Amino acid sequence: MPPVMSCLMIEKLPANQLPRPTGRMKTALIVGRIAFLVGFLSLLQPTTTAAFSSSSPANIAREALAMAITSSASSEFGPPEPPVAIFSDVDGTLVHYPEGNDKLFLLDNIDKAITIGKNNKILQLPASATGLQGVISSQTLAKCQEIRNSGSKLVLVSGMRTSTLLKRLPFLPLSDAYCNEGGGRIFYRVPLSKDVPKEDWPSFVVHPEVYDGATEEDLQPFALQEDMAWRQQMEQSDAAGTDGYIGVELPPQESSGDNNDPIRHVPLSDRVGALWDYAQDLSSQGFILDTNGYATCFRVNRKQQITPESKDNFERLLAGTVTCPPGISTSTNLGCVDFYPEDSGKNNWCVLILNA
């Protein structure tokens, strides 16, 4: 199991027992440190495209992030001071989904300010495409900002669809990069200078929500820049192609034409690319697929399998009796099964940064 995926396997040894690693071992240990810190972030939970010039902020951001993560490889082995970078999941780690009476309480007070404990306002996120209503605490947001203020890089890595990410950005911790669709799309935060007139700002700007403990600097608006080199890799015909991106670009598209018709996504039957060829095959077998708002992956959700045939098919997926064709990978996420190009995935993007 790659160390980046298993924070529970990281053990802290006394300094005098630590070896002096070289080469590949150093890289693995750096990834291990990052994995350990991902585990640490899971404790921070509540109680209950813009267009820019070719000196691309995306390239600059990727290089800066890579340098931060790999800089300790040339130093003596030991705990970095401060941690060079933290890669964190979102759902179930930073954002949580109340159940039972907690859920009913939030629904009854959805338009009211809710505080748990002292100075710990709870922010309710916009509902996801499947109707899930998540919350995040001010304490979580403040702790994440403390990590960044210490000099560490913070990267959010999630399987959420792009349309959901763009809606949630004002409520999520301020981060140096956002990797979603399970690794298929990457966006870098681009700070907006206070000296630039608002009329010169890009068309898509994120305005962070106010939370307890936030400073004026924490709430400064920012733009996004997609990593186009990574995107071009995903757009290859033997990967996801280009059709899935229509309707989930920056800035978010909400309507088309002069009559405010809903934005038109390319239907699955018309999408071209190895990923969508496989999706069409699964659909013909009776699987009910979720492609809405995804550009580089699709999801099979247990809850959406409503016929006996589709329910049986889902169990086949979980049992591993349905084999992916060459070039396609799969993983489980929040009780769902995700499919994406084999060059995508959370692990592969971390490797990209390490090798940048």
Side-chain angles (χ1 to χ4, degrees):
M1 180 180 296
V4 74
M5 297 299 291
S6 180
C7 59
L8 296 179
M9 293 179 65
I10 306 299
E11 297 182 4
K12 185 175 182 180
L13 301 175
N16 60 2
Q17 295 183 26
L18 296 175
R20 293 170 58 92
T22 58
R24 185 176 299 177
M25 184 178 178
K26 285 183 177 180
T27 300
L29 288 166
I30 294 168
V31 178
R33 294 173 185 169
I34 296 169
F36 179 82
L37 294 167
V38 172
F40 166 74
L41 264 190
S42 68
L43 301 176
L44 306 180
Q45 51 184 298
T47 52
T48 65
T49 313
F52 293 90
S53 67
S54 62
S55 59
S56 166
N59 291 335
I60 296 171
R62 179 197 281 189
E63 292 171 4
L65 186 58
M67 288 177 65
I69 295 172
T70 58
S71 61
S72 64
S74 61
S75 63
E76 294 289 333
F77 176 68
E81 296 289 346
V84 288
I86 296 177
F87 288 66
S88 174
D89 186 29
V90 178
D91 292 315
T93 303
L94 304 177
V95 173
H96 299 272
Y97 297 89
E99 298 179 351
N101 291 334
D102 290 335
K103 181 177 181 179
L104 293 175
F105 175 78
L106 289 172
L107 290 174
D108 290 340
N109 296 274
I110 195 166
D111 295 323
K112 301 177 182 178
I114 300 173
T115 300
I116 296 178
K118 184 179 180 181
N119 299 325
N120 189 23
K121 177 184 176 182
I122 304 300
L123 278 63
Q124 301 188 57
L125 282 66
S128 69
T130 55
L132 290 176
Q133 185 82 47
V135 298
I136 188 168
S137 73
S138 289
Q139 289 184 359
T140 295
L141 291 166
K143 289 295 184 182
C144 287
Q145 192 56 35
E146 285 180 19
I147 289 170
R148 292 190 68 252
N149 290 342
S150 73
S152 300
K153 299 292 183 179
L154 178 61
V155 182
L156 300 188
V157 187
S158 173
M160 75 176 78
R161 68 193 82 216
T162 298
S163 55
T164 298
L165 171 67
L166 299 181
K167 289 192 300 182
R168 287 180 167 186
L169 278 174
F171 302 83
L172 296 177
L174 197 64
S175 303
D176 297 281
Y178 305 85
C179 180
N180 69 305
E181 296 195 19
R185 299 190 76 174
I186 302 162
F187 301 92
Y188 299 101
R189 183 179 59 88
V190 181
L192 296 174
S193 172
K194 298 178 183 179
D195 299 328
V196 177
K198 290 187 177 181
E199 55 266 26
D200 294 333
W201 284 5
S203 54
F204 179 69
V205 175
V206 180
H207 297 269
E209 289 286 323
V210 176
Y211 62 90
D212 289 334
T215 67
E216 181 181 353
E217 189 67 24
D218 299 338
L219 301 177
Q220 286 300 308
F222 63 92
L224 288 183
Q225 173 68 41
E226 184 163 8
D227 190 323
M228 297 306 294
W230 184 256
R231 172 166 167 164
Q232 289 170 7
Q233 188 174 341
M234 294 298 106
E235 287 181 328
Q236 298 301 308
S237 60
D238 59 355
T242 61
D243 294 327
Y245 290 89
I246 298 175
V248 285
E249 297 281 11
L250 288 177
Q253 298 174 341
E254 297 178 353
S255 64
S256 60
D258 297 328
N259 56 357
N260 291 324
D261 290 335
I263 187 67
R264 304 295 183 184
H265 298 276
V266 178
L268 173 60
S269 59
D270 294 337
R271 294 190 184 187
V272 176
L275 178 69
W276 308 119
D277 291 343
Y278 183 50
Q280 292 161 15
D281 179 52
L282 289 180
S283 180
S284 69
Q285 296 180 42
F287 289 93
I288 298 175
L289 311 182
D290 183 359
T291 63
N292 180 37
Y294 291 109
T296 62
C297 73
F298 66 88
R299 172 168 288 184
V300 184
N301 189 329
R302 182 196 295 271
K303 295 179 181 179
Q304 295 175 343
Q305 312 308 309
I306 56 178
T307 68
E309 180 186 19
S310 62
K311 290 180 180 180
D312 289 343
N313 285 338
F314 189 84
E315 296 306 318
R316 289 168 52 211
L317 284 181
L318 291 182
T321 58
V322 179
T323 304
C324 291
I328 305 299
S329 294
T330 184
S331 60
T332 57
N333 185 24
L334 297 176
C336 304
V337 183
D338 292 342
F339 296 88
Y340 42 83
E342 65 178 0
D343 288 339
S344 180
K346 300 176 182 179
N347 254 1
N348 287 341
W349 184 68
C350 293
V351 171
L352 169 77
I353 293 299
L354 287 171
N355 291 332

PDB file of all heavy atoms in Angstrom, residues 27 30-31 58-71 73 87 186 188 227 229-230 347-356:
ATOM      1  N   THR A  27      12.082  10.175  -1.068  1.00  0.00           N
ATOM      2  CA  THR A  27      10.802  10.575  -1.634  1.00  0.00           C
ATOM      3  C   THR A  27       9.653   9.866  -0.935  1.00  0.00           C
ATOM      4  O   THR A  27       8.635  10.467  -0.596  1.00  0.00           O
ATOM      5  CB  THR A  27      10.769  10.257  -3.138  1.00  0.00           C
ATOM      6  OG1 THR A  27      11.814  10.970  -3.783  1.00  0.00           O
ATOM      7  CG2 THR A  27       9.427  10.640  -3.750  1.00  0.00           C
ATOM      8  N   ILE A  30       9.028  11.425   2.424  1.00  0.00           N
ATOM      9  CA  ILE A  30       8.327  12.709   2.324  1.00  0.00           C
ATOM     10  C   ILE A  30       6.844  12.469   2.129  1.00  0.00           C
ATOM     11  O   ILE A  30       6.000  13.089   2.760  1.00  0.00           O
ATOM     12  CB  ILE A  30       8.900  13.536   1.154  1.00  0.00           C
ATOM     13  CG1 ILE A  30      10.353  13.925   1.455  1.00  0.00           C
ATOM     14  CG2 ILE A  30       8.070  14.803   0.921  1.00  0.00           C
ATOM     15  CD1 ILE A  30      11.078  14.475   0.258  1.00  0.00           C
ATOM     16  N   VAL A  31       6.493  11.530   1.228  1.00  0.00           N
ATOM     17  CA  VAL A  31       5.091  11.202   1.017  1.00  0.00           C
ATOM     18  C   VAL A  31       4.468  10.685   2.302  1.00  0.00           C
ATOM     19  O   VAL A  31       3.333  10.990   2.647  1.00  0.00           O
ATOM     20  CB  VAL A  31       4.945  10.159  -0.110  1.00  0.00           C
ATOM     21  CG1 VAL A  31       3.493   9.774  -0.294  1.00  0.00           C
ATOM     22  CG2 VAL A  31       5.511  10.704  -1.402  1.00  0.00           C
ATOM     23  N   ALA A  58      -0.945  28.914 -12.836  1.00  0.00           N
ATOM     24  CA  ALA A  58      -1.052  27.480 -12.570  1.00  0.00           C
ATOM     25  C   ALA A  58       0.317  26.826 -12.572  1.00  0.00           C
ATOM     26  O   ALA A  58       0.639  26.021 -11.702  1.00  0.00           O
ATOM     27  CB  ALA A  58      -1.956  26.822 -13.617  1.00  0.00           C
ATOM     28  N   ASN A  59       1.153  27.189 -13.571  1.00  0.00           N
ATOM     29  CA  ASN A  59       2.496  26.615 -13.620  1.00  0.00           C
ATOM     30  C   ASN A  59       3.339  27.101 -12.446  1.00  0.00           C
ATOM     31  O   ASN A  59       4.087  26.337 -11.837  1.00  0.00           O
ATOM     32  CB  ASN A  59       3.169  26.985 -14.934  1.00  0.00           C
ATOM     33  CG  ASN A  59       2.529  26.286 -16.112  1.00  0.00           C
ATOM     34  OD1 ASN A  59       1.926  25.232 -15.945  1.00  0.00           O
ATOM     35  ND2 ASN A  59       2.640  26.872 -17.289  1.00  0.00           N
ATOM     36  N   ILE A  60       3.216  28.394 -12.137  1.00  0.00           N
ATOM     37  CA  ILE A  60       3.967  28.935 -11.011  1.00  0.00           C
ATOM     38  C   ILE A  60       3.539  28.259  -9.715  1.00  0.00           C
ATOM     39  O   ILE A  60       4.363  27.874  -8.884  1.00  0.00           O
ATOM     40  CB  ILE A  60       3.760  30.465 -10.924  1.00  0.00           C
ATOM     41  CG1 ILE A  60       4.343  31.142 -12.170  1.00  0.00           C
ATOM     42  CG2 ILE A  60       4.387  31.028  -9.651  1.00  0.00           C
ATOM     43  CD1 ILE A  60       4.004  32.615 -12.265  1.00  0.00           C
ATOM     44  N   ALA A  61       2.225  28.100  -9.555  1.00  0.00           N
ATOM     45  CA  ALA A  61       1.718  27.480  -8.335  1.00  0.00           C
ATOM     46  C   ALA A  61       2.160  26.033  -8.223  1.00  0.00           C
ATOM     47  O   ALA A  61       2.539  25.563  -7.149  1.00  0.00           O
ATOM     48  CB  ALA A  61       0.194  27.566  -8.300  1.00  0.00           C
ATOM     49  N   ARG A  62       2.112  25.307  -9.360  1.00  0.00           N
ATOM     50  CA  ARG A  62       2.521  23.898  -9.321  1.00  0.00           C
ATOM     51  C   ARG A  62       3.993  23.777  -8.931  1.00  0.00           C
ATOM     52  O   ARG A  62       4.364  22.950  -8.098  1.00  0.00           O
ATOM     53  CB  ARG A  62       2.302  23.233 -10.684  1.00  0.00           C
ATOM     54  CG  ARG A  62       2.746  21.772 -10.689  1.00  0.00           C
ATOM     55  CD  ARG A  62       2.921  21.220 -12.075  1.00  0.00           C
ATOM     56  NE  ARG A  62       1.657  20.861 -12.696  1.00  0.00           N
ATOM     57  CZ  ARG A  62       1.578  20.194 -13.848  1.00  0.00           C
ATOM     58  NH1 ARG A  62       2.680  19.834 -14.478  1.00  0.00           N
ATOM     59  NH2 ARG A  62       0.417  19.895 -14.381  1.00  0.00           N
ATOM     60  N   GLU A  63       4.835  24.639  -9.533  1.00  0.00           N
ATOM     61  CA  GLU A  63       6.262  24.588  -9.227  1.00  0.00           C
ATOM     62  C   GLU A  63       6.534  24.960  -7.779  1.00  0.00           C
ATOM     63  O   GLU A  63       7.353  24.332  -7.101  1.00  0.00           O
ATOM     64  CB  GLU A  63       7.016  25.525 -10.168  1.00  0.00           C
ATOM     65  CG  GLU A  63       7.003  25.049 -11.617  1.00  0.00           C
ATOM     66  CD  GLU A  63       7.569  26.087 -12.567  1.00  0.00           C
ATOM     67  OE1 GLU A  63       8.038  27.131 -12.066  1.00  0.00           O
ATOM     68  OE2 GLU A  63       7.545  25.862 -13.785  1.00  0.00           O
ATOM     69  N   ALA A  64       5.827  25.976  -7.276  1.00  0.00           N
ATOM     70  CA  ALA A  64       6.026  26.386  -5.887  1.00  0.00           C
ATOM     71  C   ALA A  64       5.607  25.274  -4.933  1.00  0.00           C
ATOM     72  O   ALA A  64       6.279  24.994  -3.936  1.00  0.00           O
ATOM     73  CB  ALA A  64       5.227  27.656  -5.598  1.00  0.00           C
ATOM     74  N   LEU A  65       4.489  24.627  -5.252  1.00  0.00           N
ATOM     75  CA  LEU A  65       4.014  23.539  -4.403  1.00  0.00           C
ATOM     76  C   LEU A  65       4.988  22.376  -4.433  1.00  0.00           C
ATOM     77  O   LEU A  65       5.319  21.787  -3.400  1.00  0.00           O
ATOM     78  CB  LEU A  65       2.636  23.094  -4.871  1.00  0.00           C
ATOM     79  CG  LEU A  65       1.894  22.068  -4.026  1.00  0.00           C
ATOM     80  CD1 LEU A  65       1.709  22.592  -2.606  1.00  0.00           C
ATOM     81  CD2 LEU A  65       0.537  21.760  -4.651  1.00  0.00           C
ATOM     82  N   ALA A  66       5.485  22.056  -5.636  1.00  0.00           N
ATOM     83  CA  ALA A  66       6.444  20.962  -5.747  1.00  0.00           C
ATOM     84  C   ALA A  66       7.718  21.261  -4.972  1.00  0.00           C
ATOM     85  O   ALA A  66       8.270  20.399  -4.296  1.00  0.00           O
ATOM     86  CB  ALA A  66       6.764  20.708  -7.222  1.00  0.00           C
ATOM     87  N   MET A  67       8.193  22.509  -5.070  1.00  0.00           N
ATOM     88  CA  MET A  67       9.407  22.885  -4.356  1.00  0.00           C
ATOM     89  C   MET A  67       9.214  22.788  -2.848  1.00  0.00           C
ATOM     90  O   MET A  67      10.082  22.324  -2.113  1.00  0.00           O
ATOM     91  CB  MET A  67       9.811  24.306  -4.744  1.00  0.00           C
ATOM     92  CG  MET A  67      10.361  24.424  -6.162  1.00  0.00           C
ATOM     93  SD  MET A  67      10.732  26.123  -6.584  1.00  0.00           S
ATOM     94  CE  MET A  67      12.064  26.461  -5.404  1.00  0.00           C
ATOM     95  N   ALA A  68       8.026  23.190  -2.386  1.00  0.00           N
ATOM     96  CA  ALA A  68       7.765  23.132  -0.947  1.00  0.00           C
ATOM     97  C   ALA A  68       7.754  21.700  -0.442  1.00  0.00           C
ATOM     98  O   ALA A  68       8.278  21.395   0.628  1.00  0.00           O
ATOM     99  CB  ALA A  68       6.428  23.807  -0.634  1.00  0.00           C
ATOM    100  N   ILE A  69       7.153  20.807  -1.240  1.00  0.00           N
ATOM    101  CA  ILE A  69       7.043  19.418  -0.794  1.00  0.00           C
ATOM    102  C   ILE A  69       8.379  18.703  -0.832  1.00  0.00           C
ATOM    103  O   ILE A  69       8.704  17.902   0.042  1.00  0.00           O
ATOM    104  CB  ILE A  69       6.017  18.675  -1.672  1.00  0.00           C
ATOM    105  CG1 ILE A  69       4.619  19.289  -1.449  1.00  0.00           C
ATOM    106  CG2 ILE A  69       5.981  17.188  -1.352  1.00  0.00           C
ATOM    107  CD1 ILE A  69       3.587  18.752  -2.397  1.00  0.00           C
ATOM    108  N   THR A  70       9.193  18.994  -1.845  1.00  0.00           N
ATOM    109  CA  THR A  70      10.427  18.232  -2.034  1.00  0.00           C
ATOM    110  C   THR A  70      11.645  18.895  -1.409  1.00  0.00           C
ATOM    111  O   THR A  70      12.716  18.306  -1.389  1.00  0.00           O
ATOM    112  CB  THR A  70      10.705  18.021  -3.529  1.00  0.00           C
ATOM    113  OG1 THR A  70      10.790  19.297  -4.171  1.00  0.00           O
ATOM    114  CG2 THR A  70       9.595  17.208  -4.174  1.00  0.00           C
ATOM    115  N   SER A  71      11.490  20.105  -0.866  1.00  0.00           N
ATOM    116  CA  SER A  71      12.657  20.825  -0.379  1.00  0.00           C
ATOM    117  C   SER A  71      13.362  20.105   0.758  1.00  0.00           C
ATOM    118  O   SER A  71      14.578  20.208   0.900  1.00  0.00           O
ATOM    119  CB  SER A  71      12.249  22.225   0.088  1.00  0.00           C
ATOM    120  OG  SER A  71      11.310  22.131   1.144  1.00  0.00           O
ATOM    121  N   ALA A  73      13.954  17.030   0.995  1.00  0.00           N
ATOM    122  CA  ALA A  73      14.674  15.826   0.578  1.00  0.00           C
ATOM    123  C   ALA A  73      16.181  16.008   0.657  1.00  0.00           C
ATOM    124  O   ALA A  73      16.921  15.042   0.789  1.00  0.00           O
ATOM    125  CB  ALA A  73      14.277  15.445  -0.851  1.00  0.00           C
ATOM    126  N   PHE A  87      -1.904  17.237   2.418  1.00  0.00           N
ATOM    127  CA  PHE A  87      -2.945  16.887   1.472  1.00  0.00           C
ATOM    128  C   PHE A  87      -4.126  16.351   2.286  1.00  0.00           C
ATOM    129  O   PHE A  87      -3.976  15.388   3.030  1.00  0.00           O
ATOM    130  CB  PHE A  87      -2.476  15.789   0.501  1.00  0.00           C
ATOM    131  CG  PHE A  87      -1.463  16.261  -0.506  1.00  0.00           C
ATOM    132  CD1 PHE A  87      -0.211  16.672  -0.101  1.00  0.00           C
ATOM    133  CD2 PHE A  87      -1.755  16.272  -1.857  1.00  0.00           C
ATOM    134  CE1 PHE A  87       0.741  17.101  -1.010  1.00  0.00           C
ATOM    135  CE2 PHE A  87      -0.825  16.689  -2.784  1.00  0.00           C
ATOM    136  CZ  PHE A  87       0.429  17.109  -2.369  1.00  0.00           C
ATOM    137  N   ILE A 186      -7.470  19.951 -11.523  1.00  0.00           N
ATOM    138  CA  ILE A 186      -6.631  20.629 -10.545  1.00  0.00           C
ATOM    139  C   ILE A 186      -6.765  22.130 -10.751  1.00  0.00           C
ATOM    140  O   ILE A 186      -6.626  22.626 -11.876  1.00  0.00           O
ATOM    141  CB  ILE A 186      -5.155  20.215 -10.702  1.00  0.00           C
ATOM    142  CG1 ILE A 186      -5.004  18.692 -10.556  1.00  0.00           C
ATOM    143  CG2 ILE A 186      -4.279  20.929  -9.679  1.00  0.00           C
ATOM    144  CD1 ILE A 186      -3.701  18.167 -11.108  1.00  0.00           C
ATOM    145  N   TYR A 188      -5.559  26.002  -9.013  1.00  0.00           N
ATOM    146  CA  TYR A 188      -4.698  26.706  -8.075  1.00  0.00           C
ATOM    147  C   TYR A 188      -5.344  28.035  -7.677  1.00  0.00           C
ATOM    148  O   TYR A 188      -5.949  28.721  -8.512  1.00  0.00           O
ATOM    149  CB  TYR A 188      -3.324  26.961  -8.694  1.00  0.00           C
ATOM    150  CG  TYR A 188      -2.596  25.688  -9.074  1.00  0.00           C
ATOM    151  CD1 TYR A 188      -2.560  25.255 -10.393  1.00  0.00           C
ATOM    152  CD2 TYR A 188      -1.968  24.914  -8.096  1.00  0.00           C
ATOM    153  CE1 TYR A 188      -1.905  24.082 -10.739  1.00  0.00           C
ATOM    154  CE2 TYR A 188      -1.308  23.739  -8.437  1.00  0.00           C
ATOM    155  CZ  TYR A 188      -1.291  23.327  -9.758  1.00  0.00           C
ATOM    156  OH  TYR A 188      -0.656  22.159 -10.097  1.00  0.00           O
ATOM    157  N   ASP A 227      -4.984  23.823 -13.925  1.00  0.00           N
ATOM    158  CA  ASP A 227      -3.725  23.277 -14.411  1.00  0.00           C
ATOM    159  C   ASP A 227      -3.981  22.714 -15.799  1.00  0.00           C
ATOM    160  O   ASP A 227      -4.473  21.589 -15.950  1.00  0.00           O
ATOM    161  CB  ASP A 227      -3.234  22.180 -13.456  1.00  0.00           C
ATOM    162  CG  ASP A 227      -1.816  21.721 -13.761  1.00  0.00           C
ATOM    163  OD1 ASP A 227      -1.471  21.643 -14.955  1.00  0.00           O
ATOM    164  OD2 ASP A 227      -1.058  21.447 -12.811  1.00  0.00           O
ATOM    165  N   ALA A 229      -1.877  21.863 -18.220  1.00  0.00           N
ATOM    166  CA  ALA A 229      -1.030  20.744 -18.655  1.00  0.00           C
ATOM    167  C   ALA A 229      -1.655  19.417 -18.225  1.00  0.00           C
ATOM    168  O   ALA A 229      -1.700  18.444 -18.984  1.00  0.00           O
ATOM    169  CB  ALA A 229       0.378  20.898 -18.090  1.00  0.00           C
ATOM    170  N   TRP A 230      -2.155  19.387 -16.984  1.00  0.00           N
ATOM    171  CA  TRP A 230      -2.825  18.184 -16.474  1.00  0.00           C
ATOM    172  C   TRP A 230      -4.125  17.945 -17.244  1.00  0.00           C
ATOM    173  O   TRP A 230      -4.448  16.816 -17.613  1.00  0.00           O
ATOM    174  CB  TRP A 230      -3.100  18.339 -14.989  1.00  0.00           C
ATOM    175  CG  TRP A 230      -3.704  17.144 -14.320  1.00  0.00           C
ATOM    176  CD1 TRP A 230      -5.008  16.991 -13.942  1.00  0.00           C
ATOM    177  CD2 TRP A 230      -3.050  15.926 -13.939  1.00  0.00           C
ATOM    178  NE1 TRP A 230      -5.207  15.770 -13.345  1.00  0.00           N
ATOM    179  CE2 TRP A 230      -4.006  15.094 -13.336  1.00  0.00           C
ATOM    180  CE3 TRP A 230      -1.731  15.473 -14.054  1.00  0.00           C
ATOM    181  CZ2 TRP A 230      -3.701  13.836 -12.834  1.00  0.00           C
ATOM    182  CZ3 TRP A 230      -1.425  14.204 -13.561  1.00  0.00           C
ATOM    183  CH2 TRP A 230      -2.396  13.409 -12.963  1.00  0.00           C
ATOM    184  N   ASN A 347      -3.568   9.592  -6.048  1.00  0.00           N
ATOM    185  CA  ASN A 347      -2.161   9.202  -5.918  1.00  0.00           C
ATOM    186  C   ASN A 347      -1.318   9.777  -7.048  1.00  0.00           C
ATOM    187  O   ASN A 347      -0.220  10.294  -6.823  1.00  0.00           O
ATOM    188  CB  ASN A 347      -2.043   7.673  -5.930  1.00  0.00           C
ATOM    189  CG  ASN A 347      -1.749   7.119  -4.553  1.00  0.00           C
ATOM    190  OD1 ASN A 347      -1.652   7.852  -3.583  1.00  0.00           O
ATOM    191  ND2 ASN A 347      -1.620   5.816  -4.475  1.00  0.00           N
ATOM    192  N   ASN A 348      -1.821   9.661  -8.276  1.00  0.00           N
ATOM    193  CA  ASN A 348      -1.033  10.081  -9.438  1.00  0.00           C
ATOM    194  C   ASN A 348      -0.752  11.569  -9.425  1.00  0.00           C
ATOM    195  O   ASN A 348       0.307  12.012  -9.877  1.00  0.00           O
ATOM    196  CB  ASN A 348      -1.765   9.698 -10.734  1.00  0.00           C
ATOM    197  CG  ASN A 348      -1.719   8.207 -10.992  1.00  0.00           C
ATOM    198  OD1 ASN A 348      -0.882   7.499 -10.436  1.00  0.00           O
ATOM    199  ND2 ASN A 348      -2.617   7.718 -11.822  1.00  0.00           N
ATOM    200  N   TRP A 349      -1.705  12.369  -8.923  1.00  0.00           N
ATOM    201  CA  TRP A 349      -1.443  13.801  -8.884  1.00  0.00           C
ATOM    202  C   TRP A 349      -0.378  14.128  -7.847  1.00  0.00           C
ATOM    203  O   TRP A 349       0.474  14.979  -8.064  1.00  0.00           O
ATOM    204  CB  TRP A 349      -2.710  14.601  -8.591  1.00  0.00           C
ATOM    205  CG  TRP A 349      -2.430  16.064  -8.647  1.00  0.00           C
ATOM    206  CD1 TRP A 349      -2.119  16.789  -9.766  1.00  0.00           C
ATOM    207  CD2 TRP A 349      -2.377  16.963  -7.550  1.00  0.00           C
ATOM    208  NE1 TRP A 349      -1.883  18.103  -9.423  1.00  0.00           N
ATOM    209  CE2 TRP A 349      -2.044  18.242  -8.070  1.00  0.00           C
ATOM    210  CE3 TRP A 349      -2.589  16.832  -6.183  1.00  0.00           C
ATOM    211  CZ2 TRP A 349      -1.915  19.363  -7.267  1.00  0.00           C
ATOM    212  CZ3 TRP A 349      -2.472  17.961  -5.390  1.00  0.00           C
ATOM    213  CH2 TRP A 349      -2.130  19.201  -5.926  1.00  0.00           C
ATOM    214  N   CYS A 350      -0.413  13.445  -6.706  1.00  0.00           N
ATOM    215  CA  CYS A 350       0.646  13.655  -5.714  1.00  0.00           C
ATOM    216  C   CYS A 350       2.009  13.308  -6.293  1.00  0.00           C
ATOM    217  O   CYS A 350       2.989  14.013  -6.064  1.00  0.00           O
ATOM    218  CB  CYS A 350       0.366  12.800  -4.469  1.00  0.00           C
ATOM    219  SG  CYS A 350      -1.084  13.298  -3.532  1.00  0.00           S
ATOM    220  N   VAL A 351       2.073  12.221  -7.068  1.00  0.00           N
ATOM    221  CA  VAL A 351       3.333  11.835  -7.712  1.00  0.00           C
ATOM    222  C   VAL A 351       3.755  12.907  -8.709  1.00  0.00           C
ATOM    223  O   VAL A 351       4.946  13.238  -8.816  1.00  0.00           O
ATOM    224  CB  VAL A 351       3.177  10.475  -8.413  1.00  0.00           C
ATOM    225  CG1 VAL A 351       4.396  10.151  -9.265  1.00  0.00           C
ATOM    226  CG2 VAL A 351       2.958   9.370  -7.366  1.00  0.00           C
ATOM    227  N   LEU A 352       2.789  13.490  -9.432  1.00  0.00           N
ATOM    228  CA  LEU A 352       3.103  14.566 -10.375  1.00  0.00           C
ATOM    229  C   LEU A 352       3.797  15.709  -9.669  1.00  0.00           C
ATOM    230  O   LEU A 352       4.812  16.218 -10.142  1.00  0.00           O
ATOM    231  CB  LEU A 352       1.805  15.071 -11.031  1.00  0.00           C
ATOM    232  CG  LEU A 352       1.935  16.371 -11.839  1.00  0.00           C
ATOM    233  CD1 LEU A 352       2.580  16.096 -13.190  1.00  0.00           C
ATOM    234  CD2 LEU A 352       0.578  17.024 -12.026  1.00  0.00           C
ATOM    235  N   ILE A 353       3.281  16.116  -8.535  1.00  0.00           N
ATOM    236  CA  ILE A 353       3.869  17.229  -7.796  1.00  0.00           C
ATOM    237  C   ILE A 353       5.253  16.863  -7.283  1.00  0.00           C
ATOM    238  O   ILE A 353       6.207  17.645  -7.353  1.00  0.00           O
ATOM    239  CB  ILE A 353       2.957  17.641  -6.636  1.00  0.00           C
ATOM    240  CG1 ILE A 353       1.657  18.237  -7.183  1.00  0.00           C
ATOM    241  CG2 ILE A 353       3.637  18.633  -5.718  1.00  0.00           C
ATOM    242  CD1 ILE A 353       1.853  19.485  -8.022  1.00  0.00           C
ATOM    243  N   LEU A 354       5.401  15.644  -6.784  1.00  0.00           N
ATOM    244  CA  LEU A 354       6.694  15.209  -6.258  1.00  0.00           C
ATOM    245  C   LEU A 354       7.750  15.169  -7.347  1.00  0.00           C
ATOM    246  O   LEU A 354       8.928  15.413  -7.092  1.00  0.00           O
ATOM    247  CB  LEU A 354       6.565  13.828  -5.616  1.00  0.00           C
ATOM    248  CG  LEU A 354       5.843  13.797  -4.263  1.00  0.00           C
ATOM    249  CD1 LEU A 354       5.584  12.349  -3.848  1.00  0.00           C
ATOM    250  CD2 LEU A 354       6.646  14.515  -3.192  1.00  0.00           C
ATOM    251  N   ASN A 355       7.327  14.865  -8.587  1.00  0.00           N
ATOM    252  CA  ASN A 355       8.275  14.738  -9.690  1.00  0.00           C
ATOM    253  C   ASN A 355       8.409  16.012 -10.512  1.00  0.00           C
ATOM    254  O   ASN A 355       9.159  16.068 -11.470  1.00  0.00           O
ATOM    255  CB  ASN A 355       7.850  13.590 -10.626  1.00  0.00           C
ATOM    256  CG  ASN A 355       7.993  12.240  -9.976  1.00  0.00           C
ATOM    257  OD1 ASN A 355       8.827  12.063  -9.099  1.00  0.00           O
ATOM    258  ND2 ASN A 355       7.180  11.285 -10.387  1.00  0.00           N
ATOM    259  N   ALA A 356       7.665  17.062 -10.147  1.00  0.00           N
ATOM    260  CA  ALA A 356       7.672  18.305 -10.923  1.00  0.00           C
ATOM    261  C   ALA A 356       9.053  18.946 -10.881  1.00  0.00           C
ATOM    262  O   ALA A 356       9.749  18.886  -9.886  1.00  0.00           O
ATOM    263  CB  ALA A 356       6.624  19.256 -10.401  1.00  0.00           C
TER     264      ALA A 356
END
